[in-house]
Amino acid sequence: MENMYELIAPCHFGLESVLKREILDLGYEIVTVEDGRITFRGDVTAIARANIFIRTAERILLKMGSFRATDFDELFEGTKAIPWEEFLPRDAKFWVTKATTNKSALFSASAIQSIVKKAIVERMKQTYRVERFEEDGDEYPIRVFIFKDQVSIGLDTSGTSLHKRGYRTLVGKAPISETLAAALLMLTPWNKDRVLVDPFCGSGTFPIEAAMIGANIAPGMMREFTADCWGKVVPKKVWYNAYDEAEDMIRRDVQMNIQGYDLDPEIVKCAKANAKAAGVGDYIHFQARDVKDLRHPKHYGFIITNPPYGERLEEKEALPALYKTIGESFANLPDWSMYLITSYEDAEKYIGRKADRNRKIYNGMIKSYFYQFMGPKPPKNKEPKEQ
């Protein structure tokens, strides 16, 4: 019987439903859905496939164990009881990168980190019969969550956060993360046969993520993961097979109509370079253009965007006029839909209509709203086709 593991996938608060769908589509069983994270079950191939294929998780953690702890002794003993030697080789470089705690007796992150590390060292000493570890081998970062005194410990199989796909080397001033952009796209009914325009495209994240979804390009294809070299846990062959699977699934002959505009010609150049690096340069048309000049001959298209929301005072003053312009441009596209994420509380007031739906979403630490203005559905026999 193949070893089964529990994996923890953290995500943006409010986007658990999208991540859950992705995990089920990959064929894995959901164990629990909590605020900002989902635990699921899979075999060893799930470690590689989840890292390479999932668009909306921040990282994939291999769950090592969970137990209750209301003091440091219980934390120490609970951690020490986990069979670390089955996963960590003798020369492993291991440390607790992060401890988060909420509604629990244990609240000092730095103390939790050092106790967990000590407990793992004690456990490893018994197995490897050495007093100290050189830690000059491969990296095994560890994360600890404590919620209502329930401790969960996981090995971080991803390393650098999964939003870093490897294509975005050049960034605008208020970029949206790749995982958040992908999740928001997946909350809309947009598909590759429908026009998509981002009139505030910045470094291109929305158009690029949309093109990758449309061409079925796995988000993790162009990067490496910490667990790539964990021979004791995930054999190399498992990674090669997952990368091959991703390669086979790309739709190279897909036709799409995706456009990105920005006022700044320099940032438009940067978006083009990022799209090319992502392998989707041919699917997106970028140009320097003002939102007031937004026109489109096609029907039933989508505007999906992250407009400025005035984090700085002098920008705040320009917001009413800017959102009024967004509303006017959208009104000129009567059968289109518009989805925008912003922290600007008066967005609807100046756009000039109430959103059909609105979700609260945290963009980093900023409380934002995802406003959804739904256009009519295209008639069944007239699905808009590409030229």
Side-chain angles (χ1 to χ4, degrees), residues 91-324:
D91 64 352
K93 180 182 183 194
F94 58 99
W95 72 105
V96 183
T97 51
K98 195 168 183 194
T100 50
T101 161
N102 190 359
K103 300 180 181 164
S104 301
L106 295 173
F107 58 84
S108 161
S110 56
I112 293 163
Q113 285 169 288
S114 73
I115 299 282
V116 167
K117 167 90 186 195
K118 262 191 199 122
I120 300 171
V121 169
E122 282 308 308
R123 171 84 192 204
M124 300 266 286
K125 273 183 183 174
Q126 293 170 2
T127 307
Y128 291 114
R129 311 228 179 279
V130 290
E131 274 311 298
R132 57 185 300 271
F133 294 92
E134 296 302 333
E135 294 198 44
D136 51 7
D138 294 320
E139 297 187 347
Y140 290 79
I142 294 154
R143 289 187 168 234
V144 182
F145 306 100
I146 308 180
F147 181 64
K148 292 185 176 168
D149 300 322
Q150 191 63 25
V151 181
S152 298
I153 304 185
L155 278 177
D156 179 2
T157 71
S158 307
T160 310
S161 170
L162 292 180
H163 78 268
K164 291 207 158 57
R165 318 280 208 217
Y167 67 73
R168 197 167 77 176
T169 48
L170 306 154
V171 173
K173 66 174 182 227
I176 186 166
S177 89
E178 294 84 337
T179 41
L180 179 54
L184 295 177
L185 281 159
M186 289 158 83
L187 276 176
T188 77
W190 177 79
N191 68 57
K192 67 181 182 346
D193 298 326
R194 308 273 292 269
V195 180
L196 186 149
V197 176
D198 179 355
F200 300 94
C201 73
S203 48
T205 313
F206 268 128
I208 292 168
E209 289 294 320
M212 288 176 75
I213 290 169
N216 214 15
I217 296 171
M221 280 189 72
M222 290 172 285
R223 55 162 285 174
E224 295 175 337
F225 305 95
T226 327
D228 281 348
C229 47
W230 293 359
K232 209 165 180 175
V233 187
V234 195
K236 270 275 186 249
K237 186 165 180 277
V238 168
W239 288 101
Y240 293 141
N241 290 347
Y243 282 115
D244 286 347
E245 181 189 354
E247 189 65 45
D248 291 345
M249 285 171 70
I250 299 174
R251 304 187 190 111
R252 299 193 190 278
D253 54 352
V254 67
Q255 300 280 307
M256 286 183 278
N257 189 337
I258 299 173
Q259 299 173 21
Y261 309 147
D262 202 279
L263 261 181
D264 179 352
E266 283 307 308
I267 203 84
V268 170
K269 273 190 202 150
C270 153
K272 282 182 179 168
N274 288 340
K276 193 174 174 212
V280 294
D282 294 345
Y283 303 126
I284 309 169
H285 175 68
F286 288 108
Q287 69 181 122
R289 193 171 181 181
D290 193 315
V291 66
K292 75 175 180 341
D293 302 322
L294 177 55
R295 307 269 180 283
H296 209 287
K298 287 288 190 74
H299 293 279
Y300 306 107
F302 285 78
I303 296 168
I304 300 181
T305 194
N306 172 38
Y309 26 87
E311 288 305 298
R312 293 204 294 277
L313 202 59
E314 66 273 20
E315 292 171 355
K316 266 219 165 29
E317 287 155 17
L319 292 182
L322 177 69
Y323 280 78
K324 192 164 175 284

